[in-house]
Amino acid sequence: MLITRLVLTAERFRQWSIAQFAFLLLGLLKLFPADGAIAFAERFTRWLGPKLKRRHKLTLTNLRNAFPEKSEAEIEAIALESWGSIGRLAAEYVFLDELFDFDPENPKPGRIEVSGIPLFLELREKPRPFIVFTAHTGNFELLPVASAAFGLDVTVLFRPPNNPYVAEKVFDFRKQRMGNLVPSHAGSSFTLARKLEAGGAVGVLVDQKFRKGLTTKFFGQDVRTNPLLAKLVRQFNCEVYPARSIRLPGGRFRLELEPAIEIPRRADGSVDVVATAQMLNDKVESWVREYPGQWLWYHDRWQIKRKL
């Protein structure tokens, strides 16, 4: 019992130390202008990523499997761009209030441009239950900020970081800027269902690994996909909108809200859950193929890490 407590204490101290170091680095970035600090973070993670041997090997393997037609030079270039995007994403947390300069009442060009403004306004003027889905592309954290800016009350499902100290800080930061948040856990689906039942809206990331999910394809390979979105549509017959963030040159972003998609249905009119899960994968794959360096390839989406 004593040994167990000591091990747990040591692990908590390790996680606390890592969190404090990360907070210190991000705090130091805040002392500098946003563009310079974000560019430095990108250069740093481009350097650091290949040093993380196992994680970088997973990144390269994922890319080779997804793009067998690309050369090794192209694969390496995409991997480095992806590592750089991770660095930018971390640093952009610090400057999120400064970066998000879009005003729905005065949509002049700035760092943020928004595609699909009529859809945002229509959803605001005619409230109804709907689901927005996205993926880990660009700075996906900007999407719920945009929804809040348009006055949309969207409850966002998110997966907290594994480090509890980082998770607490991230949750507090997000809650102040992104509205209602639901950490992903066993009861989160019921929270989202209650939100839709009350006529509200929810947002979900659909490109995460889900060990008990449905067997589907992503870049031609088997993956497990969470059936939650399809089941919510089946229960509430609500509209589903794709949305994504795209990095643009010069530290700018384009946030896109696309028209509602048509949900696959069976002959009796019921939602085809498997086909819907596959459709989500196909949409995300089309986004990733367009901007491959803006997706987080170090994720073990295909559950191959144990094979490396």
Side-chain angles (χ1 to χ4, degrees), residues 96-136:
L96 196 60
D97 294 329
E98 180 179 339
L99 294 178
F100 193 86
D101 61 357
F102 182 82
D103 181 0
E105 303 303 323
N106 184 25
K108 62 182 180 181
R111 283 187 182 271
I112 307 292
E113 63 179 61
V114 176
S115 174
I117 292 177
L119 285 174
F120 277 108
L121 296 177
E122 198 266 339
L123 289 170
R124 183 182 68 185
E125 298 304 320
K126 298 180 180 178
R128 56 189 181 273
F130 66 89
I131 300 173
V132 178
F133 74 87
T134 190
H136 291 87

Side-chain angles (χ1 to χ4, degrees), residues 6 10 20 109 112 121 219 232 235-236 246 249 264 266 288 295:
L6 289 173
Q20 298 310 309
I112 307 292
L121 296 177
F219 282 90
L232 289 173
Q235 183 175 357
F236 297 102
I246 302 170
R266 299 182 182 277
V288 176
W295 196 59

Side-chain angles (χ1 to χ4, degrees), residues 3-19 162-165:
I3 294 176
T4 300
R5 285 202 299 269
L6 289 173
V7 170
L8 291 175
T9 300
E11 176 60 18
R12 283 196 295 268
F13 179 74
R14 185 187 71 84
Q15 292 180 326
W16 179 86
S17 300
I18 292 173
N162 293 330
N163 186 306
Y165 302 99

Side-chain angles (χ1 to χ4, degrees), residues 44-56:
F44 176 72
T45 49
R46 277 176 173 263
W47 169 84
L48 177 64
K51 304 284 191 285
L52 305 175
K53 298 298 185 182
R54 189 174 182 185
R55 188 63 66 172
H56 189 57

Side-chain angles (χ1 to χ4, degrees), residues 272-294:
D272 188 326
V273 174
V274 176
T276 300
Q278 183 60 58
M279 181 187 63
L280 299 178
N281 287 352
D282 293 342
K283 170 57 75 172
V284 172
E285 182 177 329
S286 72
W287 289 341
V288 176
R289 286 187 178 278
E290 190 174 359
Y291 298 101
Q294 297 190 23

